[in-house]
Amino acid sequence: MILMRDGGPEMRDKKRATRKTTPTRLLSLLFRHYLAVCRIAALLVLAGFLSSILAQTNGLESHDLYKFRSVGEVALSPDGGRVAYTVIRNDRPGRPYSEVRVMDLATGKSILLSGAGSANPVWSPDGQWVAYVGSAGGLGGQTSLMIVHPDGSGATPLAAIHGTNAPLPGQGASITWSPTSDRIAFISATPGPETAAMSGDPMVITRYMYRPTASEGLNPFNDNRRLHIFLVDLATKQLRQLTQGIHYEHSIDWSPDGKEILFVSNHEPNSDEFFNYDVFALNVSNGSVRRLTATEGCEYAPRWSPDGKTIVYLATKRGLTDRETNMEDTHVWLMNPDGSHRREIGAVIDNRQGDVDWAPDGKAVYFTVDERGNAHLYKLPAAGGRPEAIVNSPGTVGSWSAGKNGKMVYSFASPRDMAEMFLKTAEGTRQLTDLNARVLAGNPIARVEPFTFISNDNKYQVEAFLTPPLDLAPGSKHPLIVDIHGGPHGQNGPAFNFLAQVYAAHGWATLYVNYRGSIGYGQKFADAVFGDQDGNEGEDVLYGVSAAVRRNPWIDRDRMGIEGVSYGGQLTDWLITQTNEFKAAIPVAGISNLVSYNYLTYYNQYEEMEFGKFLHQDDLMDFAWERSALKYVANVHTPTLLMHGSNDPDVPTEEAEQYYIALKDVGVETILVIYPREGHGLREVGHQVDRIDRSIRWYEEHFPPQGAAVKTNVQP
């Protein structure tokens, strides 16, 4: 028998039944209920607060990429009151796509002008229309030259536009209006003489340049279509093809007097083998063409001055310029309309210059400059003089558009966000878009810390950028991922890097080294990799790692990984044959064999430009093999995850395949991941997310537990 206080449950129920509910007792019950509700509310508030705190310390994850948007192109209206711009979206597993919008600068209100998959907005000179490349049916529809009023009304397709996958780097404008706003010239492709043979069964290859452009990824071969200039009349919709033949014409700009259209083309007799753009002018009325330049170097993106008396363009001077990546920095040049009096006004800045155009008054030009990991915007008097930095904050200026009285609209990727749109006037600078406010809210962003060190041969001061983990605390230890940029003539910098931020949220640091050969540090530094691939630039990376771990004791030397894309993949392949300090490696689209690569890539002048001669000349073939990672594969002990696009014409997939088999042969743990529908690098959002998740798992599987007794060879 169990004895209970108060006589047990039945007795307690009887006592409750006999109690009277007095007014005082009712108030007491109500007060107790109120306190209970308050306690629950307080707990809910506390739970929300704790949830908020936890959210604020989580940081970004791979799938957050789907939520990000960025500003692409920007174009001020002729009256300076509105701006047409593109927003790039990542909200589907396939490739990112853009849409065209117009913002009223006075109110900040924006309207959508186009469907998904639209780009290249260009205002008519009278401000009544915006032309763009898009489709009335959105993604998947027929690509057309479209026009629409800036209020969104009157959307009209004027002509179908066809593209080509031919390797054509450095293209300028593809749409240009007549000064009277009644006609539009545009670029579209037509079949070339080899197109039918290459699309038959069997496919017959006759061209040297038989592979497609680097990022296309959907086809293994060049479609051989040629770009030409077309003209359409807005009133009659009448279409006229202005250029014919086997050459590619692009980068167009209509003269202020309406008589001519500038364009760029490669008219070398061996244009597939020898890349050399020149500037031409097309007479709109009779179709005649006159040549403005005939130089050893390349000319890009010519633009008429507002008065039509001068042409600005970008150019190189050396006799060998590559299609994919160039050792020589492009600079700003001017010339007269007949091609005379060519002068290099950009020589006052010893760095790579791009995206050049005129100030509205014609007295100066604006252009971007790559500087120490950044892309800044400069203004330079056309008559010569001192350059003026217009935007020189840490980060990357993308597209820009100048208005009267110094008004400037530009896209800018800061250290804390992808590219947003900004307005700069005499009163100051203000941000016009905040596309990622929701995804960034509550997510901390890791800082980027630049530092410099002396190179192994004591010749250069090399700059690196370190992104520490978010949970860095006194006494904590964290892995380091070394991420090597491509090119080799590229650069890393402080601008927002999604991958580095995901790693930071995961508790890992990321190191970027602008090794010799990188741009942004002058021509001499860019030239320093000449004839020395997989040489001292690789030592720059290792010295950067050494400097980082010595200056930051929180870096765990026993948990370091290495990765990179393109030339970064090549250096990853190479460095794991030279050192065992990395516990895991992830080369993406990397070259493992400089000999086989030279005869498989879509562009032929790369090795010639980088070494000064063809591989078959002298003993360069032997030297290229000496500098190939594949030769030293027996030295590799680092678990290696290889990634590659299935239709990469730049660094063909065979470069990963042969390294994969070689690693298997010597007993190194390795996996090869091939991404379908991809060219050089990964474009589809789903593939980018998969790459990040797969990389994190690979590192986690091969990093030893923190504090484990392991032997690490840290060099130098």
Side-chain angles (χ1 to χ4, degrees):
M1 181 177 180
I2 300 176
L3 298 176
M4 291 185 173
R5 293 184 59 188
D6 295 330
E10 293 183 0
M11 183 61 70
R12 286 199 300 271
D13 290 340
K14 290 181 179 179
K15 288 183 177 179
R16 291 191 190 103
T18 59
R19 289 175 182 169
K20 294 183 178 179
T21 305
T22 64
T24 301
R25 178 165 179 77
L26 180 60
L27 288 174
S28 176
L29 290 172
L30 290 174
F31 182 72
R32 290 179 183 176
H33 180 70
Y34 171 78
L35 290 177
V37 170
C38 287
R39 282 195 295 270
I40 293 172
L43 289 173
L44 290 174
V45 170
L46 179 60
F49 175 76
L50 291 174
S51 175
S52 175
I53 292 296
L54 290 173
Q56 290 175 3
T57 57
N58 282 340
L60 296 172
E61 299 179 358
S62 62
H63 61 265
D64 287 323
L65 182 60
Y66 288 104
K67 306 172 188 176
F68 271 92
R69 297 177 293 169
S70 59
V71 172
E73 304 151 298
V74 300
L76 266 175
S77 62
D79 64 5
R82 291 164 293 184
V83 57
Y85 64 104
T86 59
V87 173
I88 302 169
R89 306 180 67 103
N90 299 287
D91 55 2
R92 63 177 192 141
R95 298 184 177 190
Y97 63 92
S98 63
E99 57 192 21
V100 178
R101 295 179 173 269
V102 165
M103 177 182 290
D104 185 293
L105 294 178
T107 64
K109 293 183 178 179
S110 179
I111 62 169
L112 181 65
L113 283 192
S114 72
S118 303
N120 302 345
V122 184
W123 290 89
S124 61
D126 61 10
Q128 298 301 305
W129 295 96
V130 175
Y132 64 92
V133 175
S135 169
L139 287 170
Q142 170 61 54
T143 300
S144 301
L145 173 67
M146 304 284 299
I147 57 172
V148 63
H149 289 301
D151 64 359
S153 64
T156 305
L158 293 178
I161 289 182
H162 302 281
T164 178
N165 66 358
L168 297 168
Q171 293 185 67
S174 61
I175 298 172
T176 183
W177 286 84
S178 68
T180 50
S181 299
D182 59 345
R183 291 173 296 171
I184 301 175
F186 64 98
I187 300 298
S188 186
T190 61
E194 314 86 357
T195 300
M198 271 296 292
S199 58
D201 184 359
M203 296 183 293
V204 180
I205 298 174
T206 57
R207 289 185 65 179
Y208 190 97
M209 190 69 67
Y210 68 90
R211 288 187 177 271
T213 192
S215 61
E216 199 261 353
L218 302 178
N219 302 287
F221 299 110
N222 189 336
D223 60 24
N224 298 309
R225 299 174 67 88
R226 303 304 201 272
L227 293 181
H228 292 302
I229 304 173
F230 290 77
L231 186 147
V232 63
D233 185 280
L234 265 66
T236 65
K237 308 298 189 296
Q238 182 178 355
L239 183 67
R240 181 158 59 104
Q241 184 173 338
L242 299 181
T243 60
Q244 312 281 340
I246 63 170
H247 301 300
Y248 296 84
E249 294 94 21
H250 53 84
S251 306
I252 53 178
D253 190 42
W254 209 313
S255 63
D257 63 9
K259 296 180 180 180
E260 291 186 307
I261 295 174
L262 291 174
F263 69 91
V264 162
S265 187
N266 182 3
H267 282 200
E268 296 290 335
N270 55 342
S271 58
D272 271 9
E273 295 98 322
F274 195 78
F275 173 62
N276 186 6
Y277 286 157
D278 279 297
V279 180
F280 300 80
L282 168 72
N283 187 296
V284 178
S285 62
N286 62 26
S288 63
V289 172
R290 61 188 182 91
R291 186 168 187 162
L292 276 63
T293 66
T295 66
E296 294 91 337
C298 276
E299 287 77 36
Y300 304 86
R303 306 288 290 181
W304 294 97
S305 62
D307 62 7
K309 296 181 179 180
T310 311
I311 297 169
V312 67
Y313 59 101
L314 297 168
T316 58
K317 295 184 290 186
R318 298 177 182 176
L320 200 60
T321 302
D322 186 62
R323 292 174 185 270
E324 195 268 349
T325 180
N326 189 32
M327 189 178 294
E328 183 185 2
D329 290 339
T330 49
H331 282 180
V332 174
W333 288 65
L334 298 177
M335 65 179 169
N336 294 343
D338 62 358
S340 64
H341 192 35
R342 292 193 296 272
R343 60 262 193 207
E344 182 187 0
I345 65 171
V348 295
I349 300 176
D350 182 21
N351 264 323
R352 186 160 303 200
Q353 298 153 27
D355 196 14
V356 64
D357 206 347
W358 292 91
D361 61 8
K363 295 180 180 179
V365 294
Y366 293 97
F367 54 94
T368 58
V369 177
D370 293 317
E371 292 183 308
R372 303 186 69 89
N374 303 282
H376 293 151
L377 183 63
Y378 274 81
K379 181 180 182 181
L380 182 64
R386 291 176 57 85
E388 176 189 357
I390 303 301
V391 181
N392 61 356
S393 301
T396 299
V397 174
S399 176
W400 60 269
S401 182
K404 297 178 180 179
N405 301 317
K407 178 181 284 188
M408 177 70 65
V409 172
Y410 59 95
S411 66
F412 183 72
S414 71
R416 302 193 62 80
D417 197 357
M418 291 186 181
E420 300 283 2
M421 187 164 62
F422 292 79
L423 171 66
K424 184 180 180 68
T425 64
E427 287 73 38
T429 301
R430 65 185 173 96
Q431 186 171 334
L432 298 176
T433 62
D434 194 4
L435 302 174
N436 302 313
R438 294 184 66 180
V439 64
L440 291 175
N443 279 317
I445 299 301
R447 66 188 183 278
V448 180
E449 301 174 351
F451 67 91
T452 60
F453 59 92
I454 302 300
S455 63
N456 66 299
D457 53 6
N458 301 320
K459 289 183 178 180
Y460 301 102
Q461 185 184 78
V462 183
E463 187 168 29
F465 295 85
L466 179 66
T467 304
L470 288 175
D471 56 349
L472 188 62
S476 61
K477 283 284 199 177
H478 299 268
L480 174 70
I481 310 300
V482 181
D483 193 344
I484 310 173
H485 73 67
H489 310 294
Q491 64 172 357
N492 284 123
F496 184 88
N497 185 299
F498 182 78
L499 177 61
Q501 292 299 328
V502 173
Y503 283 166
H506 203 68
W508 299 349
T510 307
L511 178 68
Y512 296 96
V513 180
N514 282 341
Y515 51 84
R516 70 190 70 190
S518 301
I519 60 175
Y521 300 89
Q523 189 62 64
K524 182 180 178 182
F525 193 82
D527 287 339
V529 75
F530 179 77
D532 190 35
Q533 286 200 8
D534 292 342
N536 280 301
E537 90 285 30
E539 292 296 318
D540 288 343
V541 174
L542 295 183
Y543 267 61
V545 174
S546 179
V549 298
R550 287 170 177 169
R551 301 177 195 185
N552 300 277
W554 51 264
I555 294 177
D556 191 340
R557 293 169 178 247
D558 296 325
R559 292 187 294 160
M560 296 196 300
I562 186 169
E563 63 183 59
V565 180
S566 190
Y567 199 87
Q570 174 182 330
L571 271 183
T572 302
D573 284 345
W574 173 259
L575 288 175
I576 60 176
T577 72
Q578 306 298 303
T579 177
N580 295 321
E581 64 184 294
F582 301 107
K583 293 298 177 290
I586 308 177
V588 182
I591 301 170
S592 64
N593 183 344
L594 291 173
V595 179
S596 62
Y597 160 77
N598 182 73
Y599 298 104
L600 289 171
T601 184
Y602 78 86
Y603 55 103
N604 66 297
Q605 289 180 296
Y606 172 72
E607 300 287 17
E608 186 185 4
M609 179 192 71
E610 292 288 333
F611 289 98
K613 52 190 171 183
F614 286 113
L615 243 62
H616 63 265
Q617 294 177 312
D618 298 327
D619 62 348
L620 186 54
M621 192 86 71
D622 295 332
F623 182 75
W625 177 240
E626 286 292 327
R627 291 298 179 91
S628 296
L630 189 62
K631 180 179 180 180
Y632 307 99
V633 69
N635 295 341
V636 179
H637 300 282
T638 306
T640 303
L641 171 62
L642 296 152
M643 297 182 177
H644 225 103
S646 62
N647 280 323
D648 186 346
D650 187 321
V651 178
T653 311
E654 290 82 355
E655 289 300 307
E657 292 174 6
Q658 58 186 313
Y659 205 46
Y660 169 72
I661 292 299
L663 289 169
K664 286 282 191 182
D665 284 346
V666 299
V668 174
E669 182 184 355
T670 183
I671 295 174
L672 173 59
V673 179
I674 302 293
Y675 289 96
R677 302 177 304 281
E678 296 287 10
H680 192 53
L682 304 181
R683 297 180 65 190
E684 293 190 13
V685 181
H687 289 165
Q688 295 181 56
V689 172
D690 179 83
R691 176 207 164 183
I692 296 172
D693 291 340
R694 198 175 294 273
S695 298
I696 290 174
R697 290 196 301 269
W698 186 255
Y699 288 132
E700 287 179 336
E701 289 171 6
H702 295 96
F703 284 161
Q706 184 174 345
V710 294
K711 183 178 180 180
T712 297
N713 175 24
V714 178
Q715 297 179 6

